[in-house]
Amino acid sequence: WLNNTNGLTIMSMPNIVLDHINTYKREGSVIVKPPKKIEPRDYQVKAIQAVKENGWQGILNMATGTGKTITSLLIANEYLNVYNRIFLIITVPFIHLVEQWKSNCIDAGYERFISCYGSKKEWSNKLQAAIRDFNGGIIRKQVVIATYNGAASIEFNNLVSTIRGRTFFIADECHYFGIKSLRDHRFNHFEG
């Protein structure tokens, strides 16, 4: 690297190449790519505006295949644009949906994920650390994707009740949210 080897010339990398390389970030063994530019359709723009005008609350009543997931994330991104930070909690009815949501969140520009399902030992310390970092202002964007069973646990509820600041909640297949185990949830304190 000192350019002292005969027959070898060390050159600076052009800035355009460095800029492109820097758009990729290594997080553990996962490479996080820059977000895709998602252009909302007219009906999605209307949905975003309706939820925004309703105090960031609403239920999307859209036909299958019209992009409820993407619309939800576009709304969350608009929330982030307005408030400059977000602790995004997404609840899903089934484990296989966790990875689907994670993939969509990556496309929407999110990089930090905690999956909350199965053994509480696997996720509770990670969730606690993420909440501490968010509350302390160290991070401004965090995504937690939990199954409804995970979200119904005492551990999950106790931890999320300590979040201070802008929390955005998405309930996928929200009719599942009425299950008996979630009746005592502690999501009512969320700011935003």
Side-chain angles (χ1 to χ4, degrees), residues 95-109:
I95 293 172
H96 73 276
L97 294 174
V98 172
E99 288 304 314
Q100 288 179 18
W101 270 92
K102 184 176 177 182
S103 177
N104 285 305
C105 286
I106 289 168
D107 289 344

Side-chain angles (χ1 to χ4, degrees), residues 46-115:
K46 288 178 184 174
I48 293 166
Q49 193 59 36
V51 170
K52 191 174 178 180
E53 289 172 0
N54 194 42
W56 301 103
Q57 297 180 20
I59 295 175
L60 298 178
N61 184 11
M62 298 165 62
T64 302
T66 56
K68 287 182 290 294
T69 299
I70 296 301
T71 305
S72 297
L73 291 171
L74 289 169
I75 294 167
N77 279 347
E78 181 65 19
Y79 182 88
L80 175 62
N81 290 337
V82 169
Y83 295 108
N84 200 35
R85 51 191 327 246
I86 188 170
F87 199 102
L88 177 56
I89 297 174
I90 302 166
T91 55
V92 299
F94 308 111
I95 293 172
H96 73 276
L97 294 174
V98 172
E99 288 304 314
Q100 288 179 18
W101 270 92
K102 184 176 177 182
S103 177
N104 285 305
C105 286
I106 289 168
D107 289 344
Y110 295 92
E111 300 173 357
R112 299 177 54 89
F113 300 92
I114 298 170
S115 300

